[in-house]
Amino acid sequence: MVKAFESPAVRKVKLGKSNLSVSNIALGTLPFASYRNNKNDFSALVSYAYDIGINLFDTAEIYENYELLGKSLRGLEDAIVISKSHAIDRRDVDRSLLTARRLMNREVDIFLLHEQESASTIRGHLDALEYMHKLKEKGDLKAIGISTHKVDGVRGALNFSEFIDVVMTIVNYAGLGINDGTRETMESAISDCFNANIGIIGMKVLGGGHLLRIIDKAIGYIRELNFVHSFLLGVETVDELKLDLALFNGIEIEKDLIEGCKRKIRHIEIEPWCTGCGICVERCGQKALRLINGKVEVITERCVLCSYCAQVCPDFSIKVV
Ligand code: SF4
Ligand code: SF4
């Protein structure tokens, strides 16, 4: 246990034009996606997060961890759950919400259209978005919006601001994972959304793990951003959360303590039995995979270690380790 990091402060903020009061730090559950096979104690992590004031918990249909999250949140009725789906129309929205409710045994509070790339993509999902808006008006959802890895996605949200309460997007020190712009162009797009009273949730603050080597700088960077309401931390253990929060709150930590708490830096491995089918290349929104001589290669600097490619590989040839 890392005693130096006890009692980190989390505060509540109003999430844009929604009526929600959310913690400025949210718990991301991608590290506990079913296909990650994570053996850490998720329930202990959720309990600790909740006890220190984190009330925002993020998942997605494709993480396939609804049951785990629902079980871990049992009894924590005021926790706020974000989920994301690739719903295209109202039938998809109903199906997604029904699945979430059945597996979590609780409601989704904030529902986002996943991986929206631009205004055109959002327009293509308008039936779903309009329907989500109706569900919100009826009180079935508390807020709705999109998630995106792209500057164009964030800017696109402005065209639909009558529907969109929340934008979840990439924000990190090195601009990692923003493949249609830079850290600066993303900051500018986010800032415009923030000024339009859209709630902003920042994700990939450690670039999927690539920024762990400079975790103090990476977390120091987000601490200064005043146009993001809440930052998702995709940690695996209570100690990792304590370290991130201590850095976020500007608590001075000795270098060797940071070193001691640094988590394993992950990377992606392609197994030799890859057939070169190209399914993963299509799936990777980051354009971080390419086929060379019938085998897949990873362009490391583009990869945010989201594991989406591993999820679709029919031969289990991709491992994020
Ligand atoms: S983990 Fe896979 S899908 Fe995700 S960015 Fe890296 S290569 Fe692309
Ligand atoms: S989906 Fe799997 S088998 Fe197909 S190219 Fe990608 S790694 Fe290889």
Side-chain angles (χ1 to χ4, degrees), residues 157-201:
L158 286 166
N159 296 2
F160 301 91
S161 58
E162 74 271 33
F163 297 125
I164 291 179
D165 308 307
V166 176
V167 168
M168 178 184 290
T169 190
I170 291 189
V171 57
N172 63 57
Y173 175 73
L176 285 179
I178 304 167
N179 55 15
D180 68 338
T182 60
R183 178 178 109 180
E184 288 73 23
T185 54
M186 181 58 98
E187 284 175 2
S188 159
I190 293 175
S191 182
D192 288 348
C193 275
F194 181 88
N195 290 332
N197 214 9
I198 292 175
I200 306 291
I201 299 174

Side-chain angles (χ1 to χ4, degrees), residues 268 280 283-289 298 302-310 318 320:
I268 190 166
C280 58
R283 178 64 187 90
C284 177
Q286 297 300 124
K287 302 201 183 332
L289 296 173
V298 186
R302 290 195 187 158
C303 172
V304 291
L305 299 167
C306 62
S307 306
Y308 293 174
C309 52
I318 305 182
V320 177

Side-chain angles (χ1 to χ4, degrees), residues 270 273-281 291 296 309 312-318:
I270 310 291
W273 57 83
C274 161
T275 61
C277 69
I279 293 173
C280 58
V281 179
L291 279 174
V296 150
C309 52
V312 297
C313 174
D315 295 298
F316 304 98
S317 305
I318 305 182

